[in-house]
C-alpha cells in the first residue's frame, strides 16, 4: 500500500479545547486560521500537547521569519545589521500580537506551497517519518500510544484501553502519537547497525519542559515563538523545518545543535515509519535518529523550552537540561525558572528571557497575567531509561512585571521565602516522625506525609500571594516588606495548624512517650508529643522569628 493518504493540512487531527471546555479536532490549516477561538490544545496528555505545540511554533516561525505580517518577503536571517534585524523581529512579533490572529492569506499561501510535505502516508516523504525505518525494530500500536507505552515484551496489566482501541489507531490519533514518540520515546530501541551507541531517550524527554500559556491557542503559539534566542541573540540560520526536505535515512546520526528554531523544534530523534491496514494504524518501525551534545556550553542552550542545572558529575560542571520531578509544584522551583542571579552560575529558560525582552519593550500588557506550564517526565528501567514511568504537569500565573530584570531583588526575596517553606515542610515532617516514634513506630520507617500535607496546604495561598506582585506594590518598599511579613505569618500559621491536628490525632501512649536507644551512637532519647511539640515550635521560631527577634 504505497498511495498517499491523510494530509495533515486538510484532515482534522489536532485536538483543541473549546471555551466551553469541550474538545474539537482541527486540521493544521484550521488551527492557524481559528486558534484565537480556542483555549488550548486538548490532546490525550500534556506531553503529547507539548510535542504538537512545538510543531505549531515551528510552522509559525518558518512562515513569519520569511515574510512580515503584510506578506512582504524579508527573511530576518538575511538582514545583515544585527540591531536592524532585532528591531524588525520585535516589530513583526508585536504586529502579529496586536492583530490577535494569524494573517489568513499568508498561512494559506505557505500551506498550499508545501501541501505535499504533510501527507501522513507517502511512499517518498511521509510526514515526520523515514521510509528507511522499515529495517528498524517493529512495534505494535500499543507502544505508540503514550498513555500505555506497551512494548513487545512488557504488557500493561492495568490499561485504559482494550481490543481494537488498543491494538489499532485511527489516523488522527496516530499522527498525534507520532509526534509524541519522536519527542519523548524511551531508550528501549536497539541499534540495527553494529558498532553504534545505544539509543538514548528522545530529546524532548530529556528536558525540564516549560512553555508559556496564553489566553487562547493563538497567543500560546506566539508567546513561545522565540524569534530571539534567550531574548537577545539572532538565530544564525534560516528556518529549516524537517518537512521541507526529504527524510534522512541514517541511523543514530550525530549532528550540530540546530541554530534555527524550526529545525530544532522538529528534530527527528527517531526514524519512524507507521504501518497501516484497512484504514487503521497497526504499528510502526523505529530506528534511532538525530542527536547532539546536551551540554549548554556546546550549543544546547539553543533549546528554549527547558530549565537547566549544573552537571556536578562532570569535571567542567556543564549546564544540562534539568528534568522535573513528577507531582512537584512549579512555584517550588521559582528560582530555576525566573531568577538569574549575577553571583550564581545559573541559566534560566530561553522562553523566560524572551518574554522578559517582550516585557521590557512594552509588547506584553502589564495589566494581564501570564501563565506558564511545566511538564515533568520520568523514565523507568534504571539507567537504561527503557520505559516511560510517569509524567505530570503544573501551571503558574503571575504578572509580567515580576519578570523584569529590575525586579531581581523581589525575585530573590520570593526565592528566599520558598526556601523557608521548604524548611517549614521539613519541620512539619520532623514533628510527624517524632510523634510516630513516641507512638512506638520503627525508627527505620520514615515517610514524607507531613511534608506533603504542608505543601498541599500552602499551594493555593502561595499562588494567590504571588499575584500581589504588580504595579504600586513593586514600587513601595514598605508595602513589599508588609507582603513578605504577611506571607511568613500565613505560612507559619498553616504549619502550626497541620502540626496541631497531628498532635490531637495521637493516642494516649504517644503523650506518655517512650525512650529510644541508639546503640550505634550510644545515645538514649525520650520521645513524647509534648517534647515533639516543643522541638517543632523551636524549629518554626528559627524559620519565622517574630519581629524584633534575632534572626
Amino acid at each position: 500500500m504505497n498511495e498517499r493518504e491523510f494530509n495533515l493540512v486538510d484532515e482534522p487531527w489536532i485536538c483543541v479545547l473549546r471555551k466551553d471546555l469541550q474538545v474539537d479536532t482541527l486540521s493544521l490549516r484550521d488551527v492557524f486560521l481559528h486558534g484565537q477561538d480556542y483555549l488550548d490544545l486538548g490532546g490525550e496528555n500534556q506531553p503529547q500537547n507539548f510535542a504538537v505545540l512545538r510543531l505549531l511554533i515551528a510552522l509559525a516561525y518558518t512562515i513569519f521569519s520569511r515574510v512580515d505580517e503584510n506578506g512582504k518577503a524579508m527573511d530576518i536571517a538575511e538582514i545583515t545589521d544585527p540591531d536592524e534585524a532585532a528591531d524588525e523581529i520585535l516589530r513583526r512579533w508585536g504586529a502579529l500580537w496586536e492583530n490577535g490572529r494569524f494573517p489568513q492569506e499568508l498561512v494559506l499561501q505557505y500551506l498550499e506551497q508545501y501541501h505535499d510535505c504533510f501527507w501522513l502516508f507517502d511512499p517518498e516523504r511521509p510526514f515526520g517519518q523515514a521510509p528507511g525505518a522499515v529495517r528498524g525494530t517493529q512495534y505494535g500500536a500499543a507502544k505508540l500510544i503514550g498513555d500505555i507505552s506497551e512494548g513487545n515484551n512488557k504488557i500493561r496489566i492495568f490499561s485504559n484501553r482494550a481490543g481494537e482501541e488498543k491494538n489499532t489507531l485511527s489516523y488522527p490519533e496516530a499522527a498525534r502519537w507520532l509526534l509524541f514518540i519522536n519527542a519523548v520515546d524511551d531508550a528501549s530501541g536497539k541499534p540495527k547497525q553494529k558498532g553504534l551507541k545505544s539509543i538514548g531517550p528522545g530529546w524532548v524527554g530529556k528536558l525540564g519542559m516549560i512553555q508559556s500559556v496564553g489566553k487562547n491557542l493563538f497567543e500560546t503559539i506566539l508567546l513561545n515563538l522565540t524569534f530571539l534566542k534567550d531574548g537577545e541573540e539572532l538565530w544564525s540560520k534560516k528556518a529549516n523545518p524537517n518537512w521541507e526536505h526529504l527524510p534522512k535515512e541514517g541511523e543514530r546520526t550525530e549532528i550540530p545543535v540546530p541554530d534555527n528554531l524550526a529545525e530544532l523544534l522538529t528534530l527527528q530523534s527517531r526514524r519512524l515509519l507507521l504501518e497501516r491496514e484497512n484504514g487503521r494504524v497497526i504499528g510502526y518501525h523505529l530506528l534511532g535518529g538525530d542527536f547532539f551534545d546536551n551540554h549548554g556550553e556546546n550549543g544546547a542552550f539553543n533549546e528554549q523550552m527547558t530549565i537547566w542545572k549544573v552537571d556536578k558529575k562532570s569535571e567542567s560542571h556543564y549546564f544540562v537540561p534539568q528534568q522535573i520531578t513528577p507531582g512537584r509544584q512549579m512555584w517550588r522551583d521559582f528560582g530555576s525558572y525566573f531568577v538569574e542571579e549575577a553571583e550564581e552560575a545559573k541559566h534560566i529558560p530561553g522562553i523566560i528571557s524572551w518574554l522578559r525582552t517582550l516585557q521590557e519593550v512594552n509588547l506584553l500588557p502589564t495589566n494581564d497575567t501570564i501563565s506558564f506550564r511545566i511538564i515533568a517526565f520520568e523514565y523507568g528501567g534504571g539507567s537504561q531509561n527503557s520505559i516511560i514511568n510517569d509524567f505530570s504537569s503544573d501551571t503558574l500565573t503571575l504578572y509580567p512585571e515580576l519578570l523584569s530584570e529590575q525586579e531581581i531583588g523581589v525575585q530573590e526575596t520570593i526565592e528566599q521565602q520558598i526556601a523557608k517553606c521548604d524548611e517549614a515542610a521539613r519541620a512539619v515532617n520532623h514533628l510527624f516522625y517524632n510523634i510516630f516514634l513516641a507512638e512506638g513506630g520503627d525508627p527505620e520507617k520514615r515517610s514524607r506525609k507531613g511534608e506533603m500535607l504542608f505543601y498541599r496546604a500552602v499551594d493555593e495561598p502561595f499562588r494567590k500571594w504571588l499575584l500581589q506582585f504588580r504595579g504600586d506594590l513593586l514600587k513601595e518598599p514598605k508595602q513589599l516588606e508588609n507582603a513578605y511579613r504577611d506571607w511568613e505569618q500565613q505560612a507559619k500559621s498553616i504549619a502550626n495548624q497541620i502540626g496541631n491536628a497531628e498532635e490531637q490525632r495521637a493516642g494516649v501512649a504517644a503523650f506518655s512517650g517512650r525512650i529510644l536507644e541508639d546503640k550505634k551512637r550510644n545515645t538514649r532519647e525520650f520521645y513524647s508529643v509534648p517534647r515533639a511539640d516543643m522541638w517543632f515550635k523551636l524549629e518554626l521560631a528559627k524559620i519565622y522569628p517574630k519581629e524584633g527577634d534575632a534572626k
Side-chain angles (χ1 to χ4, degrees), residues 330-332 334 337-338 370-374 394-398 462-463 466:
M330 183 177 178
W331 60 263
R332 290 173 59 188
F334 181 91
Y337 301 114
F338 305 114
I370 188 167
S371 296
F372 300 92
R373 177 182 291 130
I374 58 167
D394 191 29
T395 58
L396 185 65
T397 301
L398 45 79
F462 189 88
R463 293 172 190 272
L466 268 186

Side-chain angles (χ1 to χ4, degrees), residues 7 60 103 107 142 181 284 299 334 364 403 419 430 453 464 485 504 509:
N7 193 284
V107 170
I181 288 294
Y284 66 104
F334 181 91
L364 289 181
L403 297 177
H430 193 195
L453 285 174
K464 289 181 177 178
R485 185 168 59 253
Q504 292 173 16

Side-chain angles (χ1 to χ4, degrees), residues 249-518:
E249 301 294 343
E251 179 185 4
R252 289 290 289 154
T253 306
E254 186 167 8
I255 63 171
V257 181
D259 201 11
N260 74 87
L261 185 60
E263 184 179 356
L264 179 62
L265 293 175
T266 59
L267 177 77
Q268 295 296 282
S269 290
R270 297 291 185 266
R271 309 278 187 251
L272 298 161
L273 186 65
L274 297 176
E275 282 190 280
R276 55 180 162 159
E277 186 177 280
N278 299 323
R280 303 278 294 182
V281 170
I282 60 172
Y284 66 104
H285 298 264
L286 178 145
L287 289 171
D290 296 334
F291 67 96
F292 49 74
D293 193 332
N294 69 348
H295 293 162
E297 289 83 349
N298 294 352
F301 280 148
N302 286 0
E303 174 58 61
Q304 302 291 286
M305 304 178 79
T306 185
I307 57 173
W308 299 86
K309 68 175 181 180
V310 173
D311 183 5
K312 296 182 179 178
K313 295 180 181 178
S314 69
E315 293 181 4
S316 301
H317 285 186
Y318 287 110
F319 278 94
V320 294
Q322 177 181 338
Q323 290 180 303
I324 301 164
T325 303
R328 186 176 174 90
Q329 297 100 329
M330 183 177 178
W331 60 263
R332 290 173 59 188
D333 296 307
F334 181 91
S336 296
Y337 301 114
F338 305 114
V339 186
E340 195 155 35
E341 299 163 344
E343 68 276 6
E344 185 179 346
K346 294 179 72 173
H347 188 85
I348 65 174
I351 184 63
I352 304 301
S353 297
W354 163 246
L355 294 175
R356 181 172 287 167
T357 295
L358 295 178
Q359 190 270 337
E360 289 174 351
V361 297
N362 299 316
L363 288 176
L364 289 181
T366 57
N367 59 336
D368 283 342
T369 57
I370 188 167
S371 296
F372 300 92
R373 177 182 291 130
I374 58 167
I375 300 169
F377 206 83
E378 180 181 82
Y379 295 98
S383 61
Q384 300 300 313
N385 294 319
S386 57
I387 59 171
I388 295 172
N389 192 43
D390 195 10
F391 51 81
S392 67
S393 67
D394 191 29
T395 58
L396 185 65
T397 301
L398 45 79
Y399 282 92
E401 294 167 274
L402 191 55
L403 297 177
S404 173
E405 290 182 343
Q406 297 177 2
E407 304 303 338
I408 183 65
V410 176
Q411 295 162 9
E412 290 177 343
T413 305
I414 290 172
E415 192 175 15
Q416 291 165 10
Q417 289 297 334
I418 293 169
K420 289 186 177 185
C421 282
D422 293 337
E423 292 181 52
R426 289 191 290 271
V428 172
N429 210 63
H430 193 195
L431 171 68
F432 275 52
Y433 180 64
N434 287 338
I435 293 175
F436 170 73
L437 295 181
E439 291 176 319
D442 184 348
E444 298 300 318
K445 293 182 178 180
R446 292 177 174 269
S447 81
R448 296 177 53 210
K449 180 182 177 182
E451 182 180 326
M452 291 188 292
L453 285 174
F454 178 78
Y455 283 127
R456 189 184 305 166
V458 300
D459 184 60
E460 184 177 350
F462 189 88
R463 293 172 190 272
K464 289 181 177 178
W465 180 69
L466 268 186
L467 288 172
Q468 296 180 65
F469 292 96
R470 57 177 299 205
D472 292 339
L473 179 67
L474 295 173
K475 301 171 185 175
E476 296 292 339
K478 185 63 176 178
Q479 289 189 39
L480 283 171
E481 286 298 323
N482 290 338
Y484 302 143
R485 185 168 59 253
D486 289 346
W487 170 251
E488 292 197 356
Q489 292 174 352
Q490 188 174 6
K492 185 176 182 179
S493 175
I494 290 171
N496 273 315
Q497 289 172 18
I498 296 171
N500 290 338
E502 182 65 8
E503 291 174 13
Q504 292 173 16
R505 182 209 57 78
V508 174
F511 279 86
S512 300
R514 68 166 177 158
I515 295 175
L516 274 178
E517 293 188 22
D518 188 333

Side-chain angles (χ1 to χ4, degrees), residues 180-236:
F180 172 92
I181 288 294
N182 178 67
V184 301
D185 186 35
D186 59 44
S188 60
K190 305 299 180 186
K192 292 299 178 180
Q193 183 178 329
K194 291 184 179 180
L196 292 179
K197 293 181 180 179
S198 299
I199 298 174
W203 170 246
V204 175
K206 298 175 182 178
L207 307 181
M209 301 175 231
I210 179 171
Q211 65 171 93
S212 300
V213 183
K215 301 295 189 295
N216 55 57
L217 184 52
F218 161 78
E219 287 192 3
T220 295
I221 296 170
L222 209 57
L223 287 170
N224 292 282
L225 184 55
T226 47
F227 272 126
L228 291 172
K229 288 187 294 184
D230 294 334
E232 296 179 356
E233 297 181 46
L234 299 172
W235 296 94
S236 67

